[in-house]
């Protein structure tokens, strides 16, 4: 590890929400308990027996559909002890990395700072986990909805308790990098400057061909070697172990928030299987990217790895390796502003029976991400993730769209340094309506990119950590034992709400509709405490 990293290797130490750094025992019964014969609480676990109800459809020889309601009973088990958790960011010195770190410090210390609009308090707005609620049920007397904070449904890590560290190819300390990012108010920066200056990213791996050449001038904090090697894998694994040991952590989650890489070619014999990928890394194959090396290191270290960028980090060999090691991976590409709006608006239009015929998606931004994306190969990675986000919604409506038919969809990103991190998103949605009419929706959406992405980093890390403490097994009808509890599939598709191009287990469908994504994670967490899915039927208000 480079000497300067030794001198200052720091981590944003997590004082927990009561400030003493111990493991915070956050139990779901803090706000509620479930009164059901199917749910049991012990000091260490919540166990629930959950009946999953769905509908199987078959097609008769005459083409008629037959719908059969089905029930599957699962046992879920949740570890209640909230572990002392580390968040290691790849690209820690970037706009997102510095912003999320400063934001957590500001919240942990309950900071208030002057702005031109007046006093601003720290908050976690934009985080589903920390800023949203879910309906628990209806009040037995008033029959009004009772809503609880999302993060209270299960014993989740509090972001204030996260111990933060990471890597960057730039050697700037986090205070210098925060200044370079031009995201935060000077008054807030002044309050966190001292702590941020004590954090210096660990050196990282840098394979120039994978990111824009215009990034070379910041590559001064490097691990030796310009292509994949097992030495790189072992170096990163040791970094994770050292960070865990130095901070007395129970668990670490690694998040890629470094630059967008070009796509890696999928080559038989190179990255198509786990064994071939490991062999290619050993041989220093040019087609293995830094993000895939990080993914492999995390999988082998059994540390969840999430990709916040659009490149195809998870080549087939990486997915197979994660499955073999029962390790968690997730991605791709934070869904922060323009695309999040798109995944909600397209869902609304198509489900309203309005035939969307074209989406023109333009944006310009002036941060370093935009500079990297000004290179065609890196832009192409982003163009793919921003374009595929409507596919599931279009394919679900065969009334509006014939098979293979879809709206015209163009994505444009331009680098305009003047606007810095305040990305401008201009969108036009053009649709056919009743009797040949048209509806045109034009949006001008200023997205402060890092202030929108940082809460998603928190959500991804907190939810990924929560998933490591949930296990399941098929329950038996007669109470006989059905074997050991198991982890969810290695590919955490439950994280899709925060991601533009959700990675799903091989062969399973991709859901991009924003409301469906939120319902999925909400209802899975509810099932873990034996609660039925959120239903908006409210029959209690209709049948009386
Ligand atoms: N709203 C958003 O900000 C948003 C939304 C979706 C996706 N993303 C993606 O998140 C990523 C980060 O965005 P950002 O605005 O923070 O970008 P940024 O350019 O400010 O930060 C990226 C950081 O990664 C570092 N880096 C590059 N290669 C590295 C490597 N191999 N190892 C370690 N560090 C490396 C760079 O030095 C830089 O500090 C980008 O890929 C971007 O496309 C951002
Ligand atoms: O706001 P969003 O569509 O989720 O995505 C953003 C893009 O609009 C922007 O061009 C890009 O630079 C960011 O990295 C991010 O991907």
């Amino acid at each position: 590890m480079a000497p300067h990293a030794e001198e200052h290797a720091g981590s944003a130490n997590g004082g927990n929400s009561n400030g003493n750094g111990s493991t915070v025992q956050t139990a779901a019964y803090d706000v509620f308990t479930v009164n059901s014969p199917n749910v049991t609480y012990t000091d260490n676990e919540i166990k629930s027996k959950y009946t999953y109800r769905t509908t199987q459809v078959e097609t008769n020889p005459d083409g008629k559909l037959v719908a059969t309601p089905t029930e599957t009973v699962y046992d879920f088990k949740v570890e209640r002890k909230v572990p002392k958790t580390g968040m290691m960011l790849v690209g820690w010195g970037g706009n997102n990395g510095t912003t999320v770190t400063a934001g957590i410090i500001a919240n942990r210390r309950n900071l208030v700072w002057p702005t031109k609009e007046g006093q601003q308090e720290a908050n976690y707005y934009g985080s589903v986990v920390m800023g949203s609620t879910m309906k628990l049920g209806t009040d037995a007397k008033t029959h009004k909805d009772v809503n609880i904070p999302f993060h209270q449904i299960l014993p989740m890590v509090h972001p204030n308790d996260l111990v933060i560290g990471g890597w960057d190819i730039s050697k700037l300390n986090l205070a210098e990098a925060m200044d370079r990012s031009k995201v935060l108010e000077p008054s807030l920066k002044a309050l966190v400057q001292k702590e941020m200056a004590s954090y210096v990213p660990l050196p990282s791996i840098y394979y120039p061909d994978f990111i824009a050449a215009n990034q070379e001038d910041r590559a001064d904090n490097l691990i030796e070697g310009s292509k994949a090697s097992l030495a790189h894998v072992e170096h990163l694994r040791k970094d994770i172990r050292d960070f865990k040991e130095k901070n007395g952590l129970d668990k670490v989650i690694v998040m890629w928030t470094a630059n967008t890489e070009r796509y890696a070619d999928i080559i038989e014999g190179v990255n198509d299987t786990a064994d071939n990928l490991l062999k290619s890394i050993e041989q220093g194959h040019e087609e293995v990217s830094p993000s895939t090396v990080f993914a492999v290191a995390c999988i082998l270290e059994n540390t969840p790895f999430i990709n916040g960028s659009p490149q195809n980090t998870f080549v087939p060999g990486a997915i197979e390796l994660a499955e073999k090691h029962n390790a968690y991976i997730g991605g791709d590409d934070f869904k922060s502003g323009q695309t999040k709006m798109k995944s909600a608006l397209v869902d609304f239009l198509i489900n309203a029976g309005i035939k969307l015929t074209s989406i023109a998606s333009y944006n310009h931004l002036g941060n370093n991400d935009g500079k990297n994306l000004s290179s065609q190969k890196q832009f192409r990675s982003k163009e793919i993730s921003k374009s595929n986000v409507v596919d599931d919604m279009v394919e679900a409506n065969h009334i509006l769209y014939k098979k293979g038919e879809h709206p015209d969809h163009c994505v444009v990103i331009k680098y305009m340094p003047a606007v810095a991190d305040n990305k401008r998103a201009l969108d036009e949605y053009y649709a056919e309506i009743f009797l040949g009419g048209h509806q045109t929706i034009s949006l001008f959406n200023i997205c402060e990119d890092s202030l929108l992405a940082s809460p998603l980093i928190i959500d991804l890390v907190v939810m990924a950590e929560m998933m490591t403490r949930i296990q399941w097994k098929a329950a038996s009808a007669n109470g006989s034992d059905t074997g050991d509890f198991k982890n969810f599939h290695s590919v955490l598709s439950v994280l899709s709400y925060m991601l533009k191009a959700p990675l799903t287990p091989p062969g399973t469908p991709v859901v991009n509709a924003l409301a469906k994504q939120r319902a999925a994670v909400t209802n899975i967490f509810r099932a873990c405490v034996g609660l039925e899915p959120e239903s908006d039927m409210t029959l209690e208000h209709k049948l009386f």
Side-chain angles (χ1 to χ4, degrees):
M1 188 180 290
H4 73 275
E6 292 278 282
E7 292 153 23
H8 304 294
S11 52
N13 284 302
N16 69 341
S17 36
N18 54 35
N20 63 17
S22 65
T23 297
V24 176
Q25 186 80 17
T26 308
Y29 63 68
D30 278 356
V31 174
F32 74 98
T33 52
V34 175
N35 171 28
S36 162
N38 292 323
V39 181
T40 52
Y41 294 90
T42 65
D43 284 348
N44 296 322
E45 292 172 345
I46 305 169
K47 279 190 174 176
S48 70
K49 190 172 290 299
Y50 178 78
T51 302
Y52 174 60
R53 294 181 176 86
T54 186
T55 306
Q56 247 172 16
V57 178
E58 290 164 295
T59 306
N60 261 349
D62 61 7
K64 197 163 184 180
L65 302 177
V66 179
T68 307
T70 60
E71 292 188 353
T72 310
V73 184
Y74 292 106
D75 288 329
F76 287 113
K77 179 176 73 169
V78 178
E79 281 176 48
R80 300 182 73 180
K81 186 168 181 242
V82 178
K84 190 177 177 188
T85 303
M87 172 174 76
M88 294 189 84
L89 301 175
V90 188
W92 194 16
N95 282 31
N96 289 346
T98 54
T99 301
V100 70
T101 303
I104 289 174
I105 294 169
N107 276 284
R108 184 186 297 149
R109 290 168 43 193
N110 293 312
L111 295 181
V112 179
W113 58 94
T115 71
K116 59 189 176 191
E117 282 92 24
Q119 293 295 87
Q120 177 62 51
E121 293 179 355
N123 63 49
Y124 280 119
Y125 294 171
S127 159
V128 170
V129 169
M130 298 303 293
S132 83
T133 63
M134 77 166 72
K135 174 180 168 185
L136 180 62
T138 50
D139 184 281
K141 294 190 177 69
T142 65
H143 301 304
K144 285 187 177 175
D145 284 1
V146 176
N147 296 292
I148 60 169
F150 189 99
H151 65 86
Q152 284 288 351
I153 189 68
L154 288 176
M156 298 181 206
V157 168
H158 193 294
N160 287 359
D161 300 334
L162 287 172
V163 178
I164 310 171
W167 302 263
D168 204 294
I169 57 174
S170 165
K171 67 182 175 187
L172 294 192
N173 68 49
L174 267 282
E176 295 162 335
M178 175 174 63
D179 287 338
R180 174 177 60 187
S181 298
K182 300 179 190 169
V183 174
L184 299 176
E185 292 271 1
S187 52
L188 168 57
K189 289 198 294 181
L191 293 172
V192 299
Q193 194 277 340
K194 185 166 182 285
E195 189 169 343
M196 292 285 276
S198 70
Y199 308 135
V200 176
L202 295 167
S204 188
I205 53 177
Y206 174 57
Y207 311 161
D209 185 49
F210 279 92
I211 58 177
N214 61 36
Q215 297 299 307
E216 193 170 2
D217 59 359
R218 61 196 286 160
D220 58 6
N221 188 37
L222 307 181
I223 298 169
E224 195 178 330
S226 60
K227 57 186 180 179
S229 69
L230 287 181
H232 283 173
V233 171
E234 291 312 313
H235 186 117
L236 298 176
R237 291 183 68 180
K238 185 177 182 303
D239 286 346
I240 295 167
R241 289 196 298 271
D242 291 350
F243 182 74
K244 202 170 176 178
E245 186 183 347
K246 175 175 178 288
N247 293 285
L249 300 173
D250 301 313
K251 203 168 290 181
V252 171
I253 310 288
V254 175
M255 164 76 67
W256 179 278
T257 183
N259 286 129
T260 293
E261 297 171 331
R262 68 168 175 79
Y263 259 50
D265 294 336
I266 303 304
I267 306 168
E268 194 177 336
V270 173
N271 51 22
D272 56 336
T273 68
D275 291 344
N276 287 339
L277 177 59
L278 291 173
K279 191 172 62 187
S280 300
I281 291 172
E282 186 177 14
Q283 293 167 350
H285 199 284
E286 305 281 353
E287 213 44 29
V288 180
S289 69
S291 64
T292 297
V293 168
F294 266 97
V296 167
C298 290
I299 290 165
L300 297 179
E301 206 53 38
N302 201 20
T303 298
F305 178 81
I306 302 160
N307 175 29
S309 296
Q311 72 276 346
N312 63 337
T313 300
F314 302 118
V315 293
I319 295 176
E320 184 181 308
L321 188 69
E323 291 171 332
K324 274 186 172 179
H325 288 263
N326 208 10
Y328 279 136
I329 57 175
D332 299 306
D333 206 6
F334 308 124
K335 182 163 66 179
S336 58
Q338 181 177 44
T339 305
K340 195 172 208 170
M341 180 70 76
K342 186 181 292 179
S343 64
L345 192 55
V346 170
D347 189 25
F348 138 60
L349 288 169
I350 292 179
N351 282 321
I354 293 173
K355 182 171 183 177
L356 194 56
T357 51
S358 85
I359 307 169
S361 231
Y362 163 93
N363 71 45
H364 63 261
L365 67 166
N367 55 21
N368 187 60
D369 179 34
K371 184 178 176 184
N372 180 60
L373 291 171
S374 66
S375 164
Q376 177 55 32
K377 285 183 177 177
Q378 285 64 39
F379 164 71
R380 181 61 188 140
S381 298
K382 190 67 76 169
E383 183 181 36
I384 292 168
S385 69
K386 287 173 76 80
S387 302
N388 294 349
V389 76
V390 303
D391 295 351
D392 58 315
M393 294 168 258
V394 169
E395 281 159 23
N397 191 322
H398 58 270
I399 298 172
L400 299 176
Y401 303 97
K402 299 186 192 68
K403 193 165 178 56
E405 184 186 5
H406 52 78
D408 300 335
H409 191 178
C410 83
V411 171
V412 175
I413 298 176
K414 293 297 178 190
Y415 177 48
M416 302 279 272
V419 302
D421 201 69
N422 302 331
K423 181 196 63 218
R424 267 80 169 140
L426 293 85
D427 291 84
E428 182 193 83
Y429 294 83
Y430 189 59
E432 288 179 29
I433 59 177
F434 195 43
L435 302 182
H438 286 89
Q439 180 176 10
T440 304
I441 299 171
S442 182
L443 294 178
F444 181 65
N445 179 3
I446 298 180
C447 311
E448 295 196 73
D449 255 356
S450 301
L451 294 173
L452 288 171
S454 294
L456 303 182
I457 290 175
I458 290 168
D459 288 345
L460 286 161
V461 167
V462 169
M463 286 188 192
E465 190 288 320
M466 190 67 244
M467 291 305 293
T468 68
R469 286 186 284 129
I470 301 173
Q471 291 195 304
W472 70 279
K473 64 179 180 177
S476 73
N478 57 12
S480 60
D481 186 24
T482 58
D484 297 335
F485 279 92
K486 298 189 285 188
N487 285 345
F488 279 62
H489 185 275
S490 287
V491 178
L492 289 175
S493 54
V494 72
L495 302 176
S496 63
Y497 179 91
M498 286 73 73
L499 298 160
K500 287 197 199 62
L503 194 70
T504 62
T508 63
V510 174
V511 174
N512 280 296
L514 196 65
K516 285 185 179 179
Q517 292 173 328
R518 193 183 192 281
V521 61
T522 301
N523 292 327
I524 286 170
F525 283 5
R526 291 169 68 88
C528 290
V529 287
L531 293 177
E532 290 297 308
E534 269 186 335
S535 156
D536 296 316
M537 295 167 68
T538 58
L539 291 182
E540 61 273 19
H541 300 326
K542 295 177 173 71
L543 307 179
F544 60 95

